Amino acid sequence: MTKRGKWALGTGPTTKSQEHYGFLVSFVSLWLRFQSSQFPVFLLFYCFEMNTMSVRVRFAPSPTGHLHIGGARTALFNWLFARQSGGTFVLRIEDTDQQRSDEEMVQGILEGLTWLGLDWDEGPFFQSERLDLHRAVCQRLLETGWAYRDFSARNEGPDSHRAFRDLSSIEMEECLKGGDPFAIRFKVPEDQTIQFEDLVFGPTTVETNNLEDFVILRSDGYPTYHLSVVADDLEMGITHVIRGADHLSNTGKHVLLYQALDEVVPTYAHLPLILGPDKKRLSKRHGATSVTEYRDHVLLSEAVRNYIALLGWSSGDDSEIFSSDELIKKFNISRISKANAVFDYTKLEWMNKRYISSSPAETLEAGVREQLQKSGLWRSELEEDARPWFLSVIDLLKTRVQALPDFAVYGKAFFTDDFSYDEAAAAKYLKAEQRPILTEALTELRDRYERLPDFTLEKTEEVLREVANKYELKAGQFIGAVRVACTGRAQAPGIFDVLVTLGQTNVLARLDRLIQYVE
RNA sequence: GGCCCCAUCGUCUAGAGGCCUAGGACGCCGGCCUCUCACGCCGGUAACACGGGUUCGAAUCCCGUUGGGGCUACCA
């Protein structure tokens, strides 16, 4: 039994068996705790409430594409809801569309979720392995008269199935003998108003007259989404269905199915859709939108998770940066927006940058290593003897880096001597008319640095400023030249940090190299 | 086409009839800090889609228009 249960949370019904079992367990455990002394009566109600609430949610992606931002957000919200209520998060792969499903995609989805830190408690279950259940549910519907066989060919016109809606059993037998393939349709009742409460969109009604008799089992024997989703959610005891708002219009059908099966309808919460900058539904043509891409390229999973949490949800107190635990604490379905949200990569980048600059070097280490390996800059000693040094370099670079690959670009000179001088930087700090005096100054600096017994922040700065003064060079200008010598670039961390981090020997060598270059 | 949903700065959003001269964040622009670049800090830019009601009073409630989105598949 979970201890995180939140009795105040909600309104969702559960199946009767769960309710009673859970109630019993926590009642008994509390009873033992209090040793039957004075068992407070209100706790009895507490137990009952708590278990009525035993939340079970699921994320049910179809493996017809990568885990994209929208799916990830849906998964996140489900996960958050489960974690904060001490409920269960189930993962179910909806792969009943044989043609469009792909095993590689399944792997991608699993990896994406794992990367984001969204661990599931049960599953992954595959819908394709649950066909017996779906067919059994369909059979129940057929037997109770809620469904019928449609023998019409697909191309016979939009209403051809209606001819089979009220076939007598004798007529039906005839058709069956004919051996024609048939689909099974749900018999939508006429003139009814379906009602359900959506945690985001509020009370919702659907007129059955606006609904077709939808197919629940295709002629190839495979269930459609409507059937399988209801059958599975039912069988898995799902209490809260949290999914994209693209399903809102179809929810009437699902409610109808639950009612026809004489089962309790779960609580729904439909999430506003995530759109591209053109306000169209987010898709591949909007660029990088797959979670795997983010992982492989550049972004920190914490940043991605934090950013997508803000798509359609806000804390209400102006805060935007949350750790995983804070999110779990603060997340609240009632604060989910109804309006669709445009995905803004710029803000994601900002958040990523923020996360990078505020993460401890140890957290960044693996990602940076990967980037260095990609760029051929990795040396194994960086995870052995030189590891403390490696971490200090990360700390130096992390506030000025936009994304992970930048460590290998801005930071190149920390990991190899083989770098060239940036043209613009050279043009700015190694002007031709200054070169003679620069050569002298650099040479003196080099010699004095060589004689420095302790190569520290303070000493290197003191010496550099003295030399700059002596040759009547502006400190900034001189520093610029030294920076080019040491990093090849005009932008780098503070020069004395760079010097000390590089170490005396390296600095001397690099000064020599520049002196030769300007001569 | 039919049905449904949504509508606050360019973007994400706060706002549940007077607290709104509409708040925060990203972006953008300026400034400070400073050896560069970042970080940080300070300041600025910019919105209640439109039109009618209801009300003493509306971003908030109602209606219409417009715009956007979704569904309408033997896709999910």
Side-chain angles (χ1 to χ4, degrees), chain A residues 393-422:
Chain A
V393 173
I394 293 177
D395 277 327
L396 217 47
L397 294 171
K398 69 184 188 187
T399 56
R400 48 209 101 213
V401 112
Q402 189 85 14
L404 257 13
D406 294 341
F407 278 101
V409 180
Y410 297 134
K412 186 174 179 185
F414 285 97
F415 304 106
T416 176
D417 293 325
D418 179 27
F419 61 88
S420 54
Y421 300 137
D422 175 75

Short mmCIF file of all heavy atoms in Angstrom, two decimals, chain A residues 393-422:
data_model
loop_
_atom_site.label_atom_id
_atom_site.label_comp_id
_atom_site.label_asym_id
_atom_site.label_seq_id
_atom_site.Cartn_x
_atom_site.Cartn_y
_atom_site.Cartn_z
N VAL A 393 37.84 22.24 -15.70
CA VAL A 393 37.64 22.82 -17.03
C VAL A 393 36.15 22.93 -17.32
O VAL A 393 35.65 23.94 -17.83
CB VAL A 393 38.34 22.00 -18.12
CG1 VAL A 393 37.99 22.53 -19.50
CG2 VAL A 393 39.85 22.03 -17.92
N ILE A 394 35.42 21.89 -16.99
CA ILE A 394 33.97 21.92 -17.21
C ILE A 394 33.36 23.10 -16.45
O ILE A 394 32.55 23.85 -16.99
CB ILE A 394 33.33 20.59 -16.77
CG1 ILE A 394 33.80 19.46 -17.69
CG2 ILE A 394 31.81 20.70 -16.79
CD1 ILE A 394 33.27 18.09 -17.31
N ASP A 395 33.80 23.26 -15.20
CA ASP A 395 33.27 24.37 -14.42
C ASP A 395 33.57 25.72 -15.06
O ASP A 395 32.77 26.64 -15.02
CB ASP A 395 33.85 24.33 -13.00
CG ASP A 395 33.07 23.39 -12.11
OD1 ASP A 395 31.85 23.27 -12.31
OD2 ASP A 395 33.68 22.75 -11.23
N LEU A 396 34.74 25.80 -15.65
CA LEU A 396 35.17 27.05 -16.28
C LEU A 396 34.31 27.37 -17.51
O LEU A 396 34.00 28.52 -17.79
CB LEU A 396 36.63 26.88 -16.71
CG LEU A 396 37.57 28.07 -16.59
CD1 LEU A 396 37.42 28.73 -15.24
CD2 LEU A 396 39.00 27.58 -16.79
N LEU A 397 33.97 26.32 -18.25
CA LEU A 397 33.29 26.53 -19.53
C LEU A 397 31.77 26.57 -19.41
O LEU A 397 31.09 27.13 -20.25
CB LEU A 397 33.69 25.42 -20.50
CG LEU A 397 35.15 25.38 -20.95
CD1 LEU A 397 35.41 24.09 -21.73
CD2 LEU A 397 35.46 26.60 -21.81
N LYS A 398 31.26 25.97 -18.36
CA LYS A 398 29.83 25.69 -18.37
C LYS A 398 28.92 26.92 -18.40
O LYS A 398 27.82 26.84 -18.92
CB LYS A 398 29.46 24.79 -17.18
CG LYS A 398 29.56 25.46 -15.84
CD LYS A 398 29.26 24.46 -14.73
CE LYS A 398 29.17 25.16 -13.40
NZ LYS A 398 29.04 24.20 -12.28
N THR A 399 29.40 28.03 -17.88
CA THR A 399 28.50 29.19 -17.91
C THR A 399 28.45 29.86 -19.27
O THR A 399 27.62 30.72 -19.50
CB THR A 399 28.91 30.26 -16.89
OG1 THR A 399 30.25 30.64 -17.15
CG2 THR A 399 28.74 29.77 -15.47
N ARG A 400 29.39 29.53 -20.16
CA ARG A 400 29.35 30.21 -21.44
C ARG A 400 29.03 29.30 -22.60
O ARG A 400 29.27 29.63 -23.74
CB ARG A 400 30.63 31.01 -21.70
CG ARG A 400 31.89 30.28 -21.46
CD ARG A 400 32.97 31.26 -21.04
NE ARG A 400 33.18 31.23 -19.60
CZ ARG A 400 33.53 32.28 -18.87
NH1 ARG A 400 33.68 33.44 -19.42
NH2 ARG A 400 33.71 32.16 -17.58
N VAL A 401 28.46 28.18 -22.28
CA VAL A 401 28.19 27.20 -23.30
C VAL A 401 26.67 27.13 -23.53
O VAL A 401 25.88 27.29 -22.62
CB VAL A 401 28.80 25.86 -22.81
CG1 VAL A 401 27.75 24.86 -22.48
CG2 VAL A 401 29.85 25.38 -23.74
N GLN A 402 26.30 27.02 -24.79
CA GLN A 402 24.89 27.01 -25.13
C GLN A 402 24.32 25.60 -25.02
O GLN A 402 23.21 25.38 -24.57
CB GLN A 402 24.73 27.52 -26.56
CG GLN A 402 23.30 27.77 -26.99
CD GLN A 402 22.82 29.15 -26.57
OE1 GLN A 402 23.60 29.99 -26.19
NE2 GLN A 402 21.52 29.36 -26.61
N ALA A 403 25.13 24.65 -25.47
CA ALA A 403 24.72 23.26 -25.46
C ALA A 403 25.97 22.40 -25.34
O ALA A 403 27.08 22.91 -25.43
CB ALA A 403 23.95 22.93 -26.73
N LEU A 404 25.77 21.12 -25.13
CA LEU A 404 26.90 20.22 -24.88
C LEU A 404 28.01 20.26 -25.93
O LEU A 404 29.20 20.23 -25.58
CB LEU A 404 26.36 18.79 -24.71
CG LEU A 404 26.26 18.21 -23.30
CD1 LEU A 404 26.43 19.24 -22.20
CD2 LEU A 404 24.99 17.41 -23.13
N PRO A 405 27.71 20.28 -27.22
CA PRO A 405 28.80 20.26 -28.21
C PRO A 405 29.75 21.43 -28.08
O PRO A 405 30.90 21.35 -28.51
CB PRO A 405 28.07 20.31 -29.55
CG PRO A 405 26.71 19.82 -29.26
CD PRO A 405 26.41 20.27 -27.87
N ASP A 406 29.30 22.51 -27.50
CA ASP A 406 30.16 23.68 -27.38
C ASP A 406 31.39 23.41 -26.51
O ASP A 406 32.41 24.08 -26.65
CB ASP A 406 29.38 24.86 -26.78
CG ASP A 406 28.29 25.32 -27.73
OD1 ASP A 406 28.38 25.00 -28.92
OD2 ASP A 406 27.35 25.99 -27.27
N PHE A 407 31.28 22.46 -25.63
CA PHE A 407 32.43 22.14 -24.79
C PHE A 407 33.62 21.77 -25.66
O PHE A 407 34.76 22.07 -25.34
CB PHE A 407 32.12 20.99 -23.84
CG PHE A 407 31.38 21.44 -22.60
CD1 PHE A 407 30.01 21.26 -22.48
CD2 PHE A 407 32.06 22.05 -21.55
CE1 PHE A 407 29.33 21.67 -21.34
CE2 PHE A 407 31.40 22.46 -20.41
CZ PHE A 407 30.02 22.28 -20.31
N ALA A 408 33.34 21.11 -26.77
CA ALA A 408 34.42 20.67 -27.65
C ALA A 408 34.85 21.78 -28.61
O ALA A 408 35.90 21.71 -29.21
CB ALA A 408 33.98 19.44 -28.44
N VAL A 409 34.02 22.82 -28.74
CA VAL A 409 34.35 23.91 -29.65
C VAL A 409 35.04 25.03 -28.89
O VAL A 409 36.22 25.32 -29.11
CB VAL A 409 33.09 24.44 -30.35
CG1 VAL A 409 33.45 25.57 -31.30
CG2 VAL A 409 32.40 23.30 -31.10
N TYR A 410 34.31 25.64 -27.95
CA TYR A 410 34.92 26.70 -27.15
C TYR A 410 36.07 26.18 -26.32
O TYR A 410 37.01 26.90 -26.02
CB TYR A 410 33.89 27.33 -26.20
CG TYR A 410 32.75 28.00 -26.92
CD1 TYR A 410 31.43 27.78 -26.52
CD2 TYR A 410 32.99 28.84 -27.98
CE1 TYR A 410 30.39 28.39 -27.18
CE2 TYR A 410 31.95 29.45 -28.65
CZ TYR A 410 30.64 29.22 -28.24
OH TYR A 410 29.62 29.82 -28.89
N GLY A 411 35.95 24.91 -25.95
CA GLY A 411 36.92 24.37 -25.02
C GLY A 411 38.07 23.64 -25.68
O GLY A 411 38.93 23.08 -25.01
N LYS A 412 38.10 23.66 -26.99
CA LYS A 412 39.08 22.85 -27.73
C LYS A 412 40.51 23.01 -27.20
O LYS A 412 41.22 22.03 -26.98
CB LYS A 412 39.04 23.22 -29.21
CG LYS A 412 39.93 22.34 -30.06
CD LYS A 412 39.76 22.63 -31.53
CE LYS A 412 40.68 21.72 -32.35
NZ LYS A 412 40.66 22.04 -33.78
N ALA A 413 40.92 24.25 -26.99
CA ALA A 413 42.31 24.51 -26.61
C ALA A 413 42.69 23.92 -25.26
O ALA A 413 43.86 23.82 -24.92
CB ALA A 413 42.58 26.01 -26.63
N PHE A 414 41.69 23.51 -24.48
CA PHE A 414 41.99 22.89 -23.20
C PHE A 414 42.39 21.44 -23.38
O PHE A 414 43.00 20.84 -22.52
CB PHE A 414 40.80 22.97 -22.25
CG PHE A 414 40.60 24.34 -21.67
CD1 PHE A 414 39.68 25.22 -22.24
CD2 PHE A 414 41.35 24.77 -20.58
CE1 PHE A 414 39.50 26.48 -21.72
CE2 PHE A 414 41.16 26.03 -20.06
CZ PHE A 414 40.24 26.90 -20.62
N PHE A 415 42.00 20.90 -24.52
CA PHE A 415 42.19 19.47 -24.70
C PHE A 415 43.20 19.10 -25.76
O PHE A 415 43.51 17.94 -25.95
CB PHE A 415 40.83 18.82 -25.00
CG PHE A 415 39.80 19.12 -23.94
CD1 PHE A 415 38.77 20.02 -24.18
CD2 PHE A 415 39.90 18.53 -22.69
CE1 PHE A 415 37.84 20.29 -23.19
CE2 PHE A 415 38.97 18.80 -21.69
CZ PHE A 415 37.94 19.71 -21.94
N THR A 416 43.70 20.10 -26.47
CA THR A 416 44.70 19.80 -27.48
C THR A 416 45.56 21.04 -27.75
O THR A 416 45.12 22.16 -27.54
CB THR A 416 44.05 19.36 -28.81
OG1 THR A 416 45.08 19.17 -29.78
CG2 THR A 416 43.08 20.41 -29.32
N ASP A 417 46.79 20.82 -28.19
CA ASP A 417 47.64 21.95 -28.60
C ASP A 417 47.38 22.30 -30.05
O ASP A 417 47.81 23.33 -30.54
CB ASP A 417 49.12 21.56 -28.45
CG ASP A 417 49.49 21.38 -26.99
OD1 ASP A 417 48.94 22.12 -26.16
OD2 ASP A 417 50.30 20.49 -26.68
N ASP A 418 46.68 21.42 -30.70
CA ASP A 418 46.48 21.56 -32.13
C ASP A 418 45.24 22.41 -32.44
O ASP A 418 44.21 21.90 -32.83
CB ASP A 418 46.34 20.15 -32.75
CG ASP A 418 46.10 20.25 -34.25
OD1 ASP A 418 46.53 21.25 -34.86
OD2 ASP A 418 45.46 19.32 -34.78
N PHE A 419 45.39 23.70 -32.22
CA PHE A 419 44.29 24.60 -32.58
C PHE A 419 44.87 25.78 -33.35
O PHE A 419 46.04 26.11 -33.21
CB PHE A 419 43.56 25.10 -31.33
CG PHE A 419 44.44 25.87 -30.40
CD1 PHE A 419 44.59 27.26 -30.55
CD2 PHE A 419 45.13 25.24 -29.36
CE1 PHE A 419 45.40 27.97 -29.69
CE2 PHE A 419 45.94 25.96 -28.49
CZ PHE A 419 46.08 27.32 -28.66
N SER A 420 44.04 26.39 -34.17
CA SER A 420 44.54 27.52 -34.96
C SER A 420 44.01 28.82 -34.37
O SER A 420 43.08 28.82 -33.57
CB SER A 420 44.09 27.36 -36.41
OG SER A 420 42.68 27.19 -36.44
N TYR A 421 44.64 29.93 -34.77
CA TYR A 421 44.18 31.22 -34.28
C TYR A 421 43.00 31.71 -35.10
O TYR A 421 43.05 31.73 -36.32
CB TYR A 421 45.32 32.24 -34.36
CG TYR A 421 46.54 31.87 -33.56
CD1 TYR A 421 47.82 32.03 -34.08
CD2 TYR A 421 46.41 31.34 -32.27
CE1 TYR A 421 48.95 31.69 -33.34
CE2 TYR A 421 47.53 31.00 -31.53
CZ TYR A 421 48.79 31.16 -32.06
OH TYR A 421 49.89 30.81 -31.32
N ASP A 422 41.96 32.05 -34.41
CA ASP A 422 40.78 32.57 -35.08
C ASP A 422 41.14 33.88 -35.79
O ASP A 422 41.79 34.75 -35.21
CB ASP A 422 39.69 32.82 -34.04
CG ASP A 422 38.47 33.48 -34.65
OD1 ASP A 422 37.72 32.78 -35.34
OD2 ASP A 422 38.27 34.69 -34.43
#
